[in-house]
Amino acid sequence: MRTKPKRRKVIHKSRSRTPLRQLHRRDGYENHMASDRAVDRDEQEELISRDGTDPLSLEATFDQAEGRLQVPDLYTTLPPIKDTLTTDTSVSQDNIIQRCLPHLSASGSSVFSVNGQGIPSLERENHIDFLHSTIENARYIPYDSVRPWVLYWSLTALSLLGENVETYQQRVVETLSACQNLGGGFGAGHGQLSHVATSYAAVLSLAIVGGSESLDMIGRRALWRWLGQLKQSDGGFSLCVGGEEDVRGAYCSMTIISLLALPLELPPNAPTRARGFASFLDGLPEYLSRCQTFEGGISGRPQSEAHGAYAFCALACLCIIGSPREMLPKYLDLPLLISWLSSRQHAPEGGFSGRTNKLVDGCYSHWVGGCWPLIEAAMNASQTSGSTTTPKIRSWYSQEGLTRYILSCCQADDGGMRDKPNTIPDAYHTCYTLAGLSATQHYSCYSGTRNAEAGYPLNSAFHWDSSKKGPQRDMNKGEDFGDARTMLGSLHPIYVIPWGAVERCHGLFSQKTRF
């Protein structure tokens, strides 16, 4: 039986604070530099934590003689200027800050062992146990509508944590064989309607566990014909036959098509052939371009609200079609998108929100955090030396802030990751929160140096390289804040599965561009 590591003692001390002069970027707070004033005492009293401690005057210290642990003020103080308009969202935001500050200050009752920068260690063994248990429970009725997703989330997270998931190969094949329909695609369970999102999760799960048996079980011809039914006359894709259309359909469809090297020409019976379309790519970049909103973000469909997950889907889809340096500036207003994405990271929490005036959520560690490597690839000229590729500009967001939020606020005591403190962990948040943490530890750079494989034009997604980052630095002191115990594996920035899984798929199917 595994035992939990002992938690280090945390001592709370009060001290006087100098006013915070750095702007906390947040929707709902005035967007200008703070004046030199201390945080109002009434605001402090509103955020007294439940155990009676004052998170605004806490500093965590080790019970060791060699030094004190000090968390930067950015993660322990309120935004200095607050919008006076009170709404349901602003009240919820205040509550979230109240729940996060004790964890970020290393003063919460569930704080794990922390390093010299006040960052908890990754409870790796607990998370591994949680994920194995989740897979075991995936056979039960409550999971019936998301069974391929539970497999994908759990297998991806286990791979990040260093577990060998090939042991699940036979079970994954058996489970997903029952979900595959003769007419093409995968449903959520046996006998259920084929859906592009569950088909995406099923294909990625089979790629992760590897082996020709798992990949050869995919009915590529039927899948190709079924995807042809999803292609829409405006260039996008619906999620199922007769279903709604949004950016997810485009990303999931192009992921399946490119990974399995399906023919790009539409099947003969595709409805959009009557509209003059001949390829899955026809009208697709233009459709994605029309989904960018006046804010700069990307919505699920034209004229809808911008959302972080849709932004990732659109960016990744464009990077499948072609080089990020070519496709992103051509079809998107990148400066406006960068502005919108930058506004998604909150302080003092350090995590990302998915929409304007919404709360931080651990899953956006990937959905928003995963946008940055794609944008950086479009904006950077890569420097390649041997097997390591390093961008000139290393990061466009606060990796320290995201790391602190994930490890301080998203870890559940008994394993699994959650969206924020006091919520229940699940496989979805465990997968995407760990994916976001992994992205802070690895560079994903577009190389574009390999020769294109003959006979198949969608090769851009296979021109990426990854390298481990050096020690991460505290933004105020220049000291290392990374911890070797928190290191994770790396994921492909477009397909969000381990690199080896992408290489196996590409190696097997790149020579099978026909049936």
Side-chain angles (χ1 to χ4, degrees), residues 99-400:
R99 285 154 57 180
C100 288
L101 281 175
H103 295 273
L104 294 166
S105 304
S107 63
S109 60
S110 62
V111 168
F112 302 107
S113 301
V114 294
N115 65 13
Q117 299 301 317
I119 301 176
S121 59
L122 180 68
E123 298 298 303
R124 188 181 302 268
E125 293 301 317
N126 286 348
H127 301 323
I128 290 173
D129 289 345
F130 172 83
L131 291 163
H132 283 305
S133 176
T134 299
I135 292 182
E136 292 296 329
N137 291 330
R139 69 189 71 177
Y140 297 117
I141 291 176
Y143 286 104
D144 199 44
S145 62
V146 290
R147 184 167 283 115
W149 278 113
V150 172
L151 293 178
Y152 166 70
W153 296 327
S154 301
L155 294 170
T156 300
L158 285 169
S159 298
L160 285 170
L161 292 165
E163 288 289 282
N164 177 17
V165 297
E166 293 181 5
T167 57
Y168 282 109
Q169 182 181 123
Q170 181 178 354
R171 292 178 58 187
V172 169
V173 170
E174 292 174 353
T175 297
L176 295 179
S177 294
C179 299
Q180 187 169 210
N181 293 313
L182 293 177
F186 293 79
H190 177 66
Q192 296 188 28
L193 181 73
S194 292
H195 193 283
V196 75
T198 51
S199 297
Y200 163 91
V203 168
L204 294 185
S205 297
L206 291 167
I208 293 171
V209 296
S212 58
E213 178 187 357
S214 61
L215 294 172
D216 285 341
M217 63 139 314
I218 302 172
R220 292 173 67 244
R221 178 185 289 273
L223 187 55
W224 173 65
R225 291 182 177 275
W226 174 70
L227 287 171
Q229 301 295 309
L230 305 185
K231 180 66 177 179
Q232 299 298 301
S233 59
D234 61 358
F237 290 80
S238 61
L239 296 173
C240 60
V241 176
E244 74 272 29
E245 175 188 4
D246 64 37
V247 170
R248 293 173 299 163
Y251 166 63
C252 292
S253 296
M254 293 310 301
T255 292
I256 294 169
I257 290 169
S258 59
L259 265 183
L260 303 184
L262 300 179
L264 284 183
E265 61 265 28
L266 288 168
N269 62 341
T272 50
R273 278 195 172 273
R275 301 293 185 95
F277 284 2
S279 167
F280 282 109
L281 301 182
D282 287 347
L284 179 55
E286 293 79 8
Y287 168 79
L288 298 172
S289 178
R290 293 194 299 273
C291 290
Q292 187 166 22
T293 73
F294 70 95
E295 293 180 285
I298 298 173
S299 59
R301 60 185 66 85
Q303 307 302 316
S304 296
E305 182 184 13
H307 191 285
Y310 292 135
F312 174 81
C313 289
L315 288 168
C317 190
L318 288 170
C319 290
I320 290 174
I321 298 172
S323 159
R325 299 170 196 161
E326 173 190 356
M327 299 298 293
L328 300 192
K330 181 177 180 180
Y331 291 102
L332 297 173
D333 184 335
L334 275 185
L336 199 58
L337 176 58
I338 290 170
S339 175
W340 185 84
L341 286 171
S342 297
S343 298
R344 302 280 66 75
Q345 190 164 26
H346 292 189
E349 303 100 296
F352 293 111
S353 68
R355 291 179 286 168
T356 301
N357 289 325
K358 292 297 181 181
L359 309 177
V360 294
D361 188 320
C363 71
Y364 295 114
S365 303
H366 164 67
W367 292 122
V368 174
C371 293
W372 288 114
L374 307 181
I375 291 176
E376 290 164 10
M379 304 296 288
N380 272 314
S382 298
Q383 296 174 318
T384 304
S385 175
S387 60
T388 302
T389 303
T390 304
K392 291 181 178 179
I393 301 176
R394 296 197 170 192
S395 179
W396 292 43
Y397 67 98
S398 173
Q399 297 180 356
E400 179 186 356

Side-chain angles (χ1 to χ4, degrees), residues 78-98:
L78 290 173
I81 299 178
K82 182 177 180 180
D83 195 325
T84 57
L85 177 65
T86 299
T87 65
D88 289 343
T89 299
S90 67
V91 172
S92 297
Q93 178 59 48
D94 289 344
N95 290 335
I96 292 303
I97 294 178
Q98 180 180 359

Side-chain angles (χ1 to χ4, degrees), residues 393-449:
I393 301 176
R394 296 197 170 192
S395 179
W396 292 43
Y397 67 98
S398 173
Q399 297 180 356
E400 179 186 356
L402 184 60
T403 298
R404 287 183 181 276
Y405 179 73
I406 290 172
L407 294 175
S408 298
C409 299
C410 294
Q411 295 194 92
D413 291 8
D414 295 325
M417 309 294 279
R418 57 199 179 188
D419 65 339
K420 55 182 69 71
N422 298 351
T423 58
I424 298 174
D426 54 53
Y428 169 82
H429 286 94
T430 303
C431 172
Y432 291 124
T433 301
L434 291 178
L437 181 60
S438 171
T440 69
Q441 302 169 351
H442 300 86
Y443 293 121
S444 293
C445 302
Y446 182 76
S447 62
T449 57

